[in-house]
Amino acid sequence: MPLTTEEKAASKASEGALAPLLELRGISKSFGRADVLSDFSLSVNPAEFLTLVGPSGCGKTTILRLIAGFEKPQAGRIILAGRDVTDLPPYRRDIHTVFQSYALFPHYDVFENVAFSLRIRGLDEEGIRERVTEVLALAKLSGLERRKPDQLSGGQMQRVALARSLAGRPSLLLLDEPLGALDLKLRREMQMELKNIQRRLDIAFIYVTHDQEEATTMSDRIVVLNRGQIEQLGEPREIYEKPRTSFVASFMGAANVLEARVLSSSASSIEIKIEDEIDCAVPNSDSAPVAPAGRVYVAIRPERVAIHAQRPDDRTPAILKRVQVKEHVFLGHSSQVYLKLFEKSPRPFWALCRSSQMNGALAPGQWVWAQFKPEDVLVLEPAERR
Amino acid sequence: MEPAVRDAGVEGERTSRAPGKRSWDEPLSWLVVGRTPLASHLLLSPASLWVLVLLVSPVTLLTLLSFAKIGAYGRILWSFSLANFGQIMRPAYLWVIGRTLVYAGATALICLLLGFPAAYYVAFAADSKRKHLLLFALMLPFWTSALVAIYCWLIVLGREGLINALMLRLGILSTPFSFLNTPFSVILGLVYFYLPYMVLPLYAALEKIPRTLIEASHDLGAGGLKTFLRVILPLSWPGVASGAILIFVPCLGDFLTAEFLGGPRTYLLGNLIDNQFLAAQNWPLGAALTVLLMGMLMSGLYFYGRVEVEETSRV
Ligand SMILES: Nc1ncnc2c1ncn2[C@@H]1O[C@H](COP(=O)(O)OP(=O)(O)O)[C@@H](O)[C@H]1O
Ligand SMILES: [Mg+2]
């Protein structure tokens, strides 16, 4: 098929920069009348660890199934390594999937499960044995070759599923909540291993999870999804430190989301009044200043709020207020302290404190000093009128 | 599979040792017969009686009869002679037995070839509304009288039947062709009657295969055919085996089909037995043939049982 000039120009342009491994362009997908994705675009770099994170039902699995080829989009194109694969069946795409349910073949043993894609490709017996042995060693499964899937533990099945999809050396691996069925300790272990394997093999991973901590620890880049839309895309630190919306702020880590009025704004700072009570000047991180008199959401991370029994002496610019304690929840190594920071606002406000720095429990009604820095007030999207 | 066998061994040991260990000093221990309390035997007695009257006694009678001799006018002379079994070994009878095995095998094979696509379609392709309709259609032959169905086939296949009329009209044939009384018509009839016995277990086996396994196979690069050969077929094997045995076994004893759609040259074991009891009035020979047939059915069912055990131990 001859390329149009537009397509040629596009492929030229992408050659110069880092050519993306996978591109979703304007994908729309609905099931019956339910629109799951509309005009969804995303590009994935070679050998990167990209995580899709979002609440259950936001379309994460649908995106993976579209990429793998199990679902056809109603509109848009899927480009893999410069080739349009939108209309190719799953078995013609250089992509493998680790299924949440593992989907191991019950009639094959571990060796044959892992060898499946190699046999399909008609590799010779010697080559198959070599590759399977290598991948099994990588997944720490050596010695289990002749076990059937029903003779394995959950963690081992997970490893077989991973080994099976790695054996074919795809350029892209899709993982749909692969650790969802494992207990917490095993999850943490597997997270490290997955990350190490991904680095070692130089395979791009698209990883789906609804666990923000998992996303933060493993990923090169995170895509935060909400209702089929990308809320924010960026590196884990960026997402945590500079969330753009109240959804991202509260989904990726804990946040006190409050409403504020913009009094004035310049290129360097924004003057706001939080919940009509607290005045502060926060640094303007985005160069586009917010319109004055507009209302915005702001977020304050609970771990950035300090609580003091006496008025602190330090003179660093900070918001300092004498407030009443509503409730003290002891969590072990840390404590949640709910505060009555605003007279009128119904929004809860809490601080996360190291338990070791608190002298005993705080009683409801007790007066304390709450302190946070202006740069810890994160200005988010404009607030909708209600 | 292995553990199941080992368990059975342990079970057997326990049974055989139990009577020796029984303490007669225990009050009411006489109520226990074997390992089962007498009350259970009493409760089970209607069923036991049923089995005794309708199964054990006729089979015993038949077995005794198979060793008897035939006197004048079909009189039965009770004896212990192997003459009847000797007679079965004559070529004329062996031919019929061989033919029966071949026809039963062919029927099972043809049912498999026809039934697999049907079961596959119902399990994978049909939407749920159509699925129920198709399953119902598959069950229909069970509810029609076999005789009515046979007469329908006579009308379709006969010399003045539908097929001949059509082919003569179209000029494909110049004289009517006799489809009846051929291996073709007999096997056709058998396939018609036994096809549901293949489709239903196949459907059940296919329906049980998780769809993600098929997706996983596609995902790993296997197209339709390779997925079928490497995933679907091996996983539907229990259904194939069940269906084949469910067809092969009753085909060995079938006599209606060959009686009506076949002729002397396509007679099966069932017809031979029928003949010995009714036309030839040689009950001892008929009984010997029946004992042989039962032996073949039992071994068929034994293999079926083995497959079942394997299947359940795998789950
Ligand atoms: N095959 C399907 N038929 C109908 N609706 C579907 C189907 N698959 C997914 N959906 C719907 O699409 C939405 C997104 O689902 P999914 O991609 O599985 O979300 P996630 O993986 O993020 O939890 C859900 O509302 C779900 O009900
Ligand atoms: Mg999902």
Side-chain angles (χ1 to χ4, degrees):
Chain A
M1 202 172 70
L3 291 174
T4 63
T5 44
E6 212 178 287
E7 279 172 325
K8 266 183 201 155
S11 71
K12 276 259 178 62
S14 59
E15 267 165 32
L18 190 62
L21 174 67
L22 176 83
E23 270 184 279
L24 303 182
R25 292 187 189 155
I27 300 286
S28 294
K29 177 73 190 169
S30 55
F31 297 101
R33 262 181 291 141
D35 287 339
V36 180
L37 301 172
S38 54
D39 197 19
F40 183 90
S41 298
L42 178 69
S43 94
V44 181
N45 298 324
E48 90 168 314
F49 198 120
L50 183 83
T51 299
L52 305 180
V53 59
S56 175
C58 71
K60 306 181 296 289
T61 298
T62 305
I63 293 169
L64 287 199
R65 291 178 60 82
L66 284 162
I67 297 171
F70 300 129
E71 305 281 357
K72 292 260 170 289
Q74 274 100 19
R77 311 308 299 172
I78 299 170
I79 316 292
L80 178 68
R83 204 161 69 107
D84 189 332
V85 297
T86 317
D87 299 317
L88 290 185
Y91 47 87
R92 295 263 163 71
R93 301 184 186 195
D94 182 23
I95 299 174
H96 289 339
T97 305
V98 178
F99 292 83
Q100 184 171 11
S101 61
Y102 310 139
L104 301 180
F105 300 120
H107 54 299
Y108 286 141
D109 58 19
V110 169
F111 185 96
E112 285 304 320
N113 262 285
V114 175
F116 191 89
S117 66
L118 308 175
R119 291 211 190 281
I120 296 291
R121 280 192 222 163
L123 228 71
D124 62 292
E125 202 59 39
E126 186 61 29
I128 288 176
R129 200 147 44 79
E130 222 166 80
R131 184 82 73 86
V132 172
T133 310
E134 181 189 325
V135 175
L136 285 179
L138 188 72
K140 302 196 176 150
L141 285 167
S142 307
L144 298 180
E145 286 85 350
R146 294 299 158 215
R147 292 266 192 98
K148 286 281 181 75
D150 59 2
Q151 299 168 317
L152 299 173
S153 70
Q156 288 168 337
M157 285 198 272
Q158 211 289 317
R159 286 161 191 272
V160 177
L162 179 70
R164 185 178 66 176
S165 46
L166 286 174
R169 300 242 176 96
S171 54
L172 176 60
L173 195 67
L174 310 175
L175 303 99
D176 191 355
E177 307 201 21
L179 309 181
L182 304 182
D183 60 65
L184 194 67
K185 191 161 164 285
L186 210 52
R187 276 179 88 119
R188 297 279 173 259
E189 251 176 68
M190 283 302 294
Q191 283 171 13
M192 302 307 295
E193 272 182 47
L194 271 176
K195 182 72 200 159
N196 287 337
I197 288 173
Q198 189 265 337
R199 276 210 201 103
R200 184 124 50 106
L201 297 185
D202 265 3
I203 295 177
F205 275 28
I206 302 184
Y207 189 94
V208 159
T209 180
H210 58 250
D211 179 347
Q212 60 89 16
E213 198 179 325
E214 196 165 284
T216 309
T217 52
M218 300 169 81
S219 324
D220 296 323
R221 290 197 301 159
I222 295 177
V223 180
V224 185
L225 291 167
N226 187 23
R227 296 205 209 112
Q229 300 284 333
I230 297 183
E231 287 269 338
Q232 192 168 353
L233 193 163
E235 288 168 18
R237 184 169 286 278
E238 187 186 335
I239 298 256
Y240 181 77
E241 288 176 353
K242 290 179 191 159
R244 267 201 227 115
T245 64
S246 48
F247 177 85
V248 175
S250 37
F251 195 79
M252 300 301 287
N256 292 297
V257 175
L258 307 165
E259 225 179 293
R261 194 146 48 85
V262 179
L263 303 175
S264 71
S265 64
S266 70
S268 61
S269 78
I270 309 174
E271 193 102 25
I272 56 172
K273 196 176 184 76
I274 302 170
E275 296 288 337
D276 294 323
E277 285 185 36
I278 297 177
D279 278 316
C280 71
V282 303
N284 192 353
S285 51
D286 287 337
S287 40
V290 184
R295 299 185 73 84
V296 292
Y297 286 118
V298 297
I300 302 165
R301 300 258 179 227
E303 61 269 29
R304 299 299 176 106
V305 181
I307 290 180
H308 309 279
Q310 265 86 45
R311 190 189 171 97
D313 297 331
D314 64 309
R315 295 278 132 219
T316 50
I319 292 125
L320 189 63
K321 201 180 174 204
R322 196 164 143 77
V323 295
Q324 251 183 320
V325 172
K326 272 196 198 159
E327 203 185 344
H328 178 176
V329 182
F330 180 65
L331 300 176
H333 85 290
S334 61
S335 280
Q336 283 179 316
V337 182
Y338 286 84
L339 300 168
K340 208 168 160 53
L341 191 65
F342 306 102
E343 293 299 327
K344 283 160 282 178
S345 169
R347 295 174 197 277
F349 187 93
W350 56 283
L352 189 72
C353 309
R354 204 95 58 77
S355 292
S356 60
Q357 289 175 349
M358 302 186 58
N359 307 320
L362 295 169
Q366 193 175 336
W367 287 92
V368 293
W369 290 89
Q371 183 188 33
F372 52 89
K373 296 186 187 121
E375 61 261 37
D376 287 333
V377 178
L378 309 165
V379 178
L380 309 170
E381 83 274 22
E384 66 251 25
R385 292 253 150 244
R386 66 185 81 195
Chain B
M1 287 145 265
E2 252 178 67
V5 172
R6 224 180 297 132
D7 282 355
V10 171
E11 192 77 8
E13 268 175 47
R14 210 189 303 148
T15 328
S16 59
R17 235 188 282 132
K21 279 205 290 190
R22 195 193 306 155
S23 155
W24 291 100
D25 300 332
E26 266 176 48
L28 298 184
S29 65
W30 57 272
L31 268 173
V32 180
V33 179
R35 288 197 306 153
T36 323
L38 187 59
S40 306
H41 284 283
L42 287 174
L43 283 172
L44 281 172
S45 60
S48 313
L49 209 65
W50 180 271
V51 169
L52 202 70
V53 171
L54 290 174
L55 195 72
V56 177
S57 48
V59 168
T60 315
L61 205 62
L62 260 178
T63 313
L64 289 178
L65 198 56
S66 69
F67 295 112
K69 279 186 196 156
I70 183 85
Y73 308 108
R75 271 223 350 251
I76 292 158
L77 309 171
W78 295 102
S79 66
F80 187 81
S81 122
L82 290 173
N84 296 317
F85 290 97
Q87 203 174 345
I88 293 175
M89 293 302 136
R90 286 211 221 127
Y93 292 107
L94 287 182
W95 259 119
V96 176
I97 293 164
R99 184 189 297 139
T100 307
L101 290 170
V102 169
Y103 281 23
T107 305
L109 189 68
I110 293 168
C111 283
L112 176 63
L113 295 179
L114 292 177
F116 210 108
Y120 188 88
Y121 179 80
V122 177
F124 288 108
D127 56 38
S128 72
K129 211 188 286 174
R130 193 180 302 171
K131 190 178 279 189
H132 291 300
L133 195 71
L134 286 171
L135 282 176
F136 178 75
L138 282 171
M139 302 286 287
L140 265 184
F142 283 135
W143 297 321
T144 34
S145 150
L147 271 179
V148 172
I150 281 180
Y151 277 107
C152 288
W153 278 115
L154 284 174
I155 292 169
V156 171
L157 296 174
R159 222 164 243 286
E160 279 95 45
L162 273 178
I163 295 180
N164 269 318
L166 196 70
M167 288 177 124
L168 287 171
R169 181 71 61 83
L170 292 176
I172 299 169
L173 289 179
S174 50
T175 52
F177 180 78
S178 181
F179 291 103
L180 291 173
N181 309 336
T182 59
F184 168 76
S185 62
V186 176
I187 292 176
L188 179 77
L190 290 172
V191 167
Y192 171 77
F193 283 116
Y194 290 107
L195 190 56
Y197 291 92
M198 179 59 86
V199 178
L200 291 177
L202 269 181
Y203 165 76
L206 289 171
E207 184 68 20
K208 265 200 298 191
I209 300 175
R211 296 306 183 262
T212 46
L213 291 187
I214 293 161
E215 285 190 345
S217 170
H218 288 318
D219 187 79
L220 293 165
L225 183 64
K226 281 178 177 165
T227 297
F228 179 78
L229 292 176
R230 284 164 193 266
V231 179
I232 296 174
L233 196 58
L235 289 176
S236 61
W237 172 242
V240 173
S242 303
I245 287 162
L246 280 178
I247 290 172
F248 186 77
V249 168
C251 269
L252 292 180
D254 191 283
F255 69 98
L256 267 184
T257 316
E259 179 77 36
F260 287 89
L261 301 178
R265 271 177 302 142
T266 56
Y267 268 5
L268 302 180
L269 190 48
N271 304 97
L272 199 57
I273 293 169
D274 176 44
N275 222 1
Q276 291 310 317
F277 274 100
L278 299 179
Q281 287 285 316
N282 189 347
W283 284 33
L285 184 57
L289 286 166
T290 309
V291 168
L292 176 77
L293 175 61
M294 279 195 303
M296 299 202 302
L297 296 185
M298 299 284 217
S299 37
L301 286 173
Y302 172 73
F303 284 114
Y304 179 61
R306 287 257 304 251
V307 170
E308 286 275 274
V309 167
E310 252 176 57
E311 192 186 343
T312 43
S313 76
R314 207 187 296 161
V315 170

